[in-house]
Amino acid sequence: MSKLTHLDEQGQAHMVDVGHKLPSQREATAEGFVTMQPATLQLILEGGHKKGDVLAVARIAGIQAAKKCSDLIPLCHPLMLSGIKVELEPQPEHSRVRIEATCKLSGQTGVEMEALTAVSVAALTLYDMCKAVDKGMVIGDLRLLEKIGGKSGHWQADGSTPA
């Protein structure tokens, strides 16, 4: 098993030095779900929410979160992202919204945390906008689906399809 890269020999946290790495094309895709009452999802789908277009606001929040990842997670590098895509897919048969985010860049470190942060904040935004009508919503199953590039190459989660 590999050692944790954010800990030094004394076990103290530090930001990993990636200055010696050559830039490469990198991409990461993550997903998560917000499960809710059927009536809450219907309200979102009909555009009847008094706060406005819930899915559009959550999408923008996810994009903004990916750009601010290093401000939120202490040991993440600030990155010059070249692309961020956040999709929200209502799944009425499961009474939930699936959120998927893909982040891309040409750089010296990966973008997994940016994709995961985008999904997390999009889910939290959806919850925030709908909590007045459904406090029992559940945010869950947040995971990395795929990462491409860097020293470790291509990785894909079991049961996922390529982005």
Coordinates of all heavy atoms in Angstrom, one line a residue, residues 85-141:
K85 N -17.8 20.8 -16.0 CA -19.2 20.5 -16.5 C -19.9 19.9 -15.3 O -19.5 18.9 -14.7 CB -19.1 19.5 -17.7 CG -20.4 19.2 -18.3 CD -20.2 18.2 -19.5 CE -21.5 17.9 -20.1 NZ -21.3 17.0 -21.3
V86 N -21.1 20.5 -15.0 CA -21.9 19.9 -13.9 C -23.3 19.6 -14.5 O -23.9 20.5 -15.1 CB -22.0 20.9 -12.8 CG1 -23.0 20.4 -11.7 CG2 -20.7 21.2 -12.2
E87 N -23.7 18.4 -14.4 CA -25.0 18.0 -14.9 C -25.9 17.5 -13.8 O -25.4 16.7 -12.9 CB -24.9 16.9 -16.0 CG -24.1 17.3 -17.2 CD -23.9 16.2 -18.2 OE1 -23.9 15.1 -17.8 OE2 -23.7 16.6 -19.4
L88 N -27.2 17.9 -13.8 CA -28.1 17.4 -12.8 C -29.2 16.7 -13.6 O -29.9 17.2 -14.5 CB -28.7 18.6 -12.0 CG -27.7 19.2 -11.1 CD1 -27.0 20.4 -11.7 CD2 -28.3 19.5 -9.7
E89 N -29.4 15.4 -13.2 CA -30.3 14.5 -14.0 C -31.4 14.1 -13.0 O -31.2 13.2 -12.1 CB -29.6 13.3 -14.5 CG -30.5 12.3 -15.1 CD -29.7 10.9 -15.3 OE1 -28.5 10.8 -15.0 OE2 -30.4 10.0 -15.7
P90 N -32.6 14.6 -13.1 CA -33.8 14.1 -12.3 C -34.0 12.7 -12.6 O -34.1 12.3 -13.8 CB -34.9 15.0 -12.7 CG -34.3 16.2 -13.3 CD -33.0 15.7 -14.0
Q91 N -34.2 11.9 -11.6 CA -34.5 10.5 -11.8 C -35.8 10.2 -11.0 O -35.8 9.7 -9.9 CB -33.4 9.6 -11.3 CG -32.1 9.7 -12.1 CD -31.0 8.9 -11.6 OE1 -30.9 8.5 -10.4 NE2 -30.1 8.5 -12.5
P92 N -37.0 10.5 -11.6 CA -38.3 10.4 -10.9 C -38.5 8.9 -10.4 O -39.2 8.7 -9.4 CB -39.3 10.8 -12.0 CG -38.6 11.6 -12.9 CD -37.1 11.1 -12.9
E93 N -38.0 7.9 -11.1 CA -38.3 6.5 -10.8 C -37.6 6.2 -9.4 O -38.0 5.3 -8.7 CB -37.8 5.6 -11.8 CG -36.3 5.6 -12.1 CD -35.7 6.7 -13.0 OE1 -36.5 7.6 -13.3 OE2 -34.6 6.6 -13.4
H94 N -36.6 7.0 -9.0 CA -35.9 6.8 -7.7 C -36.2 8.0 -6.8 O -35.6 8.0 -5.7 CB -34.4 6.7 -7.9 CG -34.1 5.5 -8.8 ND1 -34.3 4.2 -8.4 CD2 -33.5 5.4 -10.0 CE1 -33.8 3.4 -9.3 NE2 -33.4 4.1 -10.3
S95 N -37.0 9.0 -7.2 CA -37.3 10.2 -6.4 C -36.0 10.9 -6.0 O -35.8 11.2 -4.8 CB -38.1 9.8 -5.2 OG -38.7 11.0 -4.6
R96 N -35.1 11.1 -7.0 CA -33.8 11.7 -6.7 C -33.3 12.5 -7.9 O -33.8 12.4 -9.0 CB -32.8 10.7 -6.2 CG -32.4 9.7 -7.4 CD -31.5 8.6 -6.9 NE -31.0 7.8 -8.0 CZ -30.3 6.7 -7.9 NH1 -30.0 6.3 -6.7 NH2 -30.0 6.0 -8.9
V97 N -32.2 13.2 -7.6 CA -31.5 13.9 -8.7 C -30.1 13.4 -8.6 O -29.4 13.4 -7.5 CB -31.5 15.5 -8.4 CG1 -30.6 16.2 -9.5 CG2 -32.9 16.0 -8.5
R98 N -29.6 13.0 -9.8 CA -28.2 12.5 -9.9 C -27.4 13.7 -10.3 O -27.8 14.4 -11.3 CB -28.1 11.4 -10.9 CG -26.6 10.9 -11.1 CD -26.6 9.8 -12.2 NE -25.2 9.4 -12.4 CZ -24.4 9.9 -13.3 NH1 -24.8 10.9 -14.1 NH2 -23.1 9.5 -13.4
I99 N -26.3 13.9 -9.7 CA -25.4 15.1 -10.0 C -24.0 14.5 -10.5 O -23.5 13.6 -9.8 CB -25.1 16.0 -8.8 CG1 -26.5 16.5 -8.3 CG2 -24.2 17.1 -9.2 CD1 -26.4 17.1 -6.9
E100 N -23.6 14.9 -11.6 CA -22.3 14.5 -12.2 C -21.5 15.7 -12.5 O -22.0 16.7 -13.1 CB -22.5 13.6 -13.4 CG -21.1 13.1 -14.0 CD -21.3 12.2 -15.1 OE1 -21.8 11.1 -14.9 OE2 -21.0 12.6 -16.3
A101 N -20.2 15.7 -12.1 CA -19.3 16.8 -12.5 C -18.0 16.3 -13.1 O -17.5 15.3 -12.6 CB -19.0 17.6 -11.2
T102 N -17.6 16.9 -14.1 CA -16.3 16.6 -14.7 C -15.4 17.9 -14.8 O -15.9 18.9 -15.2 CB -16.5 16.1 -16.2 OG1 -17.3 14.9 -16.1 CG2 -15.2 15.8 -16.9
C103 N -14.2 17.7 -14.3 CA -13.3 18.8 -14.3 C -12.0 18.4 -15.2 O -11.6 17.3 -15.1 CB -12.8 19.2 -12.9 SG -14.2 19.8 -11.9
K104 N -11.5 19.4 -15.9 CA -10.3 19.2 -16.8 C -9.3 20.3 -16.6 O -9.6 21.4 -16.3 CB -10.8 19.2 -18.2 CG -11.8 18.1 -18.6 CD -12.2 18.2 -20.1 CE -13.2 17.2 -20.4 NZ -13.6 17.3 -21.9
L105 N -8.1 19.9 -16.9 CA -7.0 20.9 -16.9 C -5.7 20.2 -17.6 O -5.7 19.0 -17.7 CB -6.6 21.4 -15.5 CG -6.0 20.5 -14.5 CD1 -4.6 20.0 -14.7 CD2 -6.1 21.2 -13.1
S106 N -4.8 21.1 -17.9 CA -3.4 20.6 -18.2 C -2.6 21.1 -17.1 O -2.4 22.3 -16.9 CB -3.0 21.2 -19.5 OG -1.6 20.8 -19.8
G107 N -2.1 20.2 -16.3 CA -1.4 20.6 -15.1 C -0.5 19.5 -14.5 O -0.4 18.5 -15.0
Q108 N 0.0 19.9 -13.3 CA 0.9 19.0 -12.6 C 0.2 18.1 -11.5 O 0.9 17.3 -10.8 CB 2.0 19.8 -12.0 CG 2.8 20.5 -13.0 CD 3.7 21.6 -12.5 OE1 3.1 22.6 -12.0 NE2 5.0 21.5 -12.5
T109 N -1.0 18.3 -11.2 CA -1.7 17.6 -10.2 C -3.2 17.3 -10.7 O -3.7 18.0 -11.6 CB -1.7 18.3 -8.9 OG1 -2.2 17.4 -7.8 CG2 -2.5 19.6 -8.8
G110 N -3.8 16.3 -10.1 CA -5.1 15.9 -10.6 C -6.3 16.8 -10.1 O -6.1 17.7 -9.3
V111 N -7.4 16.5 -10.7 CA -8.6 17.3 -10.4 C -9.8 16.5 -9.8 O -10.9 16.9 -9.8 CB -9.1 18.0 -11.7 CG1 -8.2 19.0 -12.2 CG2 -9.4 16.9 -12.8
E112 N -9.4 15.4 -9.1 CA -10.4 14.6 -8.4 C -11.2 15.4 -7.4 O -12.4 15.4 -7.3 CB -9.8 13.4 -7.8 CG -9.2 12.4 -8.7 CD -7.7 12.7 -9.0 OE1 -7.2 13.8 -8.7 OE2 -7.0 11.7 -9.4
M113 N -10.4 16.2 -6.6 CA -11.1 16.9 -5.5 C -12.0 18.0 -6.0 O -13.0 18.3 -5.4 CB -10.0 17.5 -4.5 CG -9.2 16.5 -3.8 SD -10.3 15.2 -3.0 CE -11.3 16.1 -1.9
E114 N -11.6 18.6 -7.1 CA -12.5 19.6 -7.7 C -13.8 19.1 -8.2 O -14.9 19.6 -8.0 CB -11.7 20.3 -8.9 CG -10.6 21.3 -8.4 CD -9.4 20.6 -7.8 OE1 -9.2 19.4 -8.0 OE2 -8.6 21.3 -7.2
A115 N -13.7 17.9 -8.8 CA -15.0 17.2 -9.3 C -15.8 16.8 -8.1 O -17.1 17.0 -8.1 CB -14.6 16.0 -10.1
L116 N -15.2 16.2 -7.1 CA -16.0 15.9 -5.9 C -16.6 17.1 -5.1 O -17.7 17.0 -4.7 CB -15.1 15.1 -4.9 CG -14.7 13.6 -5.4 CD1 -13.5 13.1 -4.6 CD2 -15.9 12.7 -5.2
T117 N -15.8 18.1 -5.1 CA -16.3 19.4 -4.5 C -17.5 20.0 -5.3 O -18.5 20.4 -4.7 CB -15.2 20.4 -4.3 OG1 -14.2 19.8 -3.5 CG2 -15.7 21.7 -3.7
A118 N -17.4 19.9 -6.6 CA -18.5 20.4 -7.4 C -19.8 19.7 -7.1 O -20.9 20.3 -7.0 CB -18.1 20.3 -8.9
V119 N -19.7 18.4 -7.1 CA -20.9 17.5 -6.8 C -21.4 17.8 -5.4 O -22.6 18.0 -5.2 CB -20.6 16.0 -7.0 CG1 -21.8 15.2 -6.5 CG2 -20.3 15.7 -8.4
S120 N -20.5 17.9 -4.4 CA -21.0 18.1 -3.1 C -21.7 19.5 -2.9 O -22.8 19.5 -2.3 CB -19.7 18.2 -2.1 OG -19.1 16.9 -2.1
V121 N -21.2 20.5 -3.5 CA -21.8 21.8 -3.3 C -23.0 22.0 -4.1 O -24.0 22.6 -3.7 CB -20.7 23.0 -3.6 CG1 -21.4 24.3 -3.6 CG2 -19.7 22.9 -2.5
A122 N -23.1 21.3 -5.3 CA -24.3 21.3 -6.1 C -25.4 20.6 -5.3 O -26.6 21.1 -5.2 CB -24.1 20.6 -7.4
A123 N -25.1 19.5 -4.6 CA -26.1 18.8 -3.8 C -26.5 19.6 -2.6 O -27.7 19.7 -2.3 CB -25.5 17.5 -3.3
L124 N -25.6 20.3 -1.9 CA -25.9 21.1 -0.8 C -26.8 22.3 -1.2 O -27.7 22.7 -0.5 CB -24.6 21.6 -0.1 CG -23.8 20.6 0.6 CD1 -22.4 21.2 1.0 CD2 -24.6 20.1 1.9
T125 N -26.5 22.8 -2.4 CA -27.3 24.0 -2.9 C -28.8 23.5 -3.2 O -29.7 24.2 -2.8 CB -26.7 24.6 -4.1 OG1 -25.4 25.0 -3.8 CG2 -27.5 25.7 -4.7
L126 N -28.9 22.3 -3.8 CA -30.2 21.8 -4.1 C -30.9 21.6 -2.7 O -32.1 21.9 -2.6 CB -30.1 20.4 -4.8 CG -31.3 19.9 -5.5 CD1 -30.9 19.0 -6.7 CD2 -32.2 19.1 -4.5
Y127 N -30.2 21.0 -1.7 CA -30.8 20.8 -0.4 C -31.3 22.2 0.2 O -32.4 22.3 0.7 CB -29.9 20.2 0.6 CG -30.5 19.8 1.9 CD1 -31.0 18.6 2.1 CD2 -30.6 20.8 2.9 CE1 -31.6 18.3 3.4 CE2 -31.2 20.5 4.1 CZ -31.7 19.3 4.3 OH -32.3 19.0 5.5
D128 N -30.4 23.2 0.1 CA -30.7 24.5 0.7 C -31.9 25.1 0.0 O -32.8 25.7 0.7 CB -29.5 25.4 0.5 CG -29.7 26.8 1.0 OD1 -30.1 26.9 2.2 OD2 -29.6 27.8 0.3
M129 N -32.0 25.0 -1.3 CA -33.2 25.6 -1.9 C -34.5 24.9 -1.7 O -35.5 25.5 -1.8 CB -32.9 25.7 -3.4 CG -31.8 26.6 -3.8 SD -31.6 26.9 -5.6 CE -33.1 27.8 -5.9
C130 N -34.4 23.6 -1.3 CA -35.7 22.8 -1.1 C -36.0 22.5 0.3 O -37.0 21.8 0.6 CB -35.6 21.6 -2.0 SG -35.5 21.9 -3.7
K131 N -35.1 22.9 1.3 CA -35.3 22.4 2.6 C -36.6 22.9 3.3 O -37.1 22.3 4.2 CB -34.1 22.8 3.5 CG -33.9 24.3 3.7 CD -32.6 24.6 4.5 CE -32.5 26.0 4.9 NZ -32.0 26.8 3.8
A132 N -37.1 24.0 2.8 CA -38.4 24.6 3.3 C -39.5 23.6 3.1 O -40.5 23.6 3.9 CB -38.7 25.9 2.7
V133 N -39.5 22.8 2.0 CA -40.6 21.9 1.7 C -40.2 20.4 2.0 O -41.1 19.6 2.0 CB -41.0 22.0 0.2 CG1 -41.6 23.4 -0.1 CG2 -39.9 21.7 -0.8
D134 N -38.9 20.1 2.2 CA -38.5 18.7 2.4 C -37.2 18.7 3.2 O -36.1 18.6 2.7 CB -38.4 18.0 1.1 CG -38.1 16.5 1.2 OD1 -37.9 16.0 2.3 OD2 -38.1 15.9 0.2
K135 N -37.3 18.7 4.5 CA -36.1 18.7 5.4 C -35.5 17.3 5.4 O -34.4 17.1 5.9 CB -36.4 19.1 6.8 CG -36.7 20.6 6.8 CD -37.1 21.1 8.2 CE -37.4 22.5 8.4 NZ -38.0 23.2 7.3
G136 N -36.2 16.3 5.0 CA -35.7 14.9 5.0 C -34.9 14.4 3.8 O -34.6 13.2 3.7
M137 N -34.5 15.3 2.9 CA -33.7 14.9 1.8 C -32.4 14.3 2.3 O -31.9 14.7 3.3 CB -33.4 16.2 0.9 CG -34.6 16.7 0.1 SD -34.2 18.2 -0.8 CE -34.1 19.4 0.6
V138 N -31.9 13.4 1.4 CA -30.7 12.7 1.8 C -29.7 12.9 0.7 O -30.0 12.6 -0.5 CB -30.9 11.2 2.0 CG1 -29.6 10.4 2.2 CG2 -31.9 10.9 3.1
I139 N -28.5 13.4 1.0 CA -27.4 13.5 0.1 C -26.5 12.3 0.3 O -26.1 12.0 1.4 CB -26.6 14.8 0.4 CG1 -27.5 16.1 0.2 CG2 -25.3 14.9 -0.5 CD1 -26.9 17.4 0.6
G140 N -26.2 11.6 -0.8 CA -25.4 10.4 -0.6 C -24.7 9.9 -1.8 O -24.8 10.5 -2.9
D141 N -24.0 8.8 -1.6 CA -23.3 8.0 -2.7 C -22.4 8.9 -3.5 O -22.2 8.7 -4.7 CB -24.3 7.3 -3.6 CG -25.1 6.2 -2.9 OD1 -24.5 5.6 -2.0 OD2 -26.3 6.0 -3.1

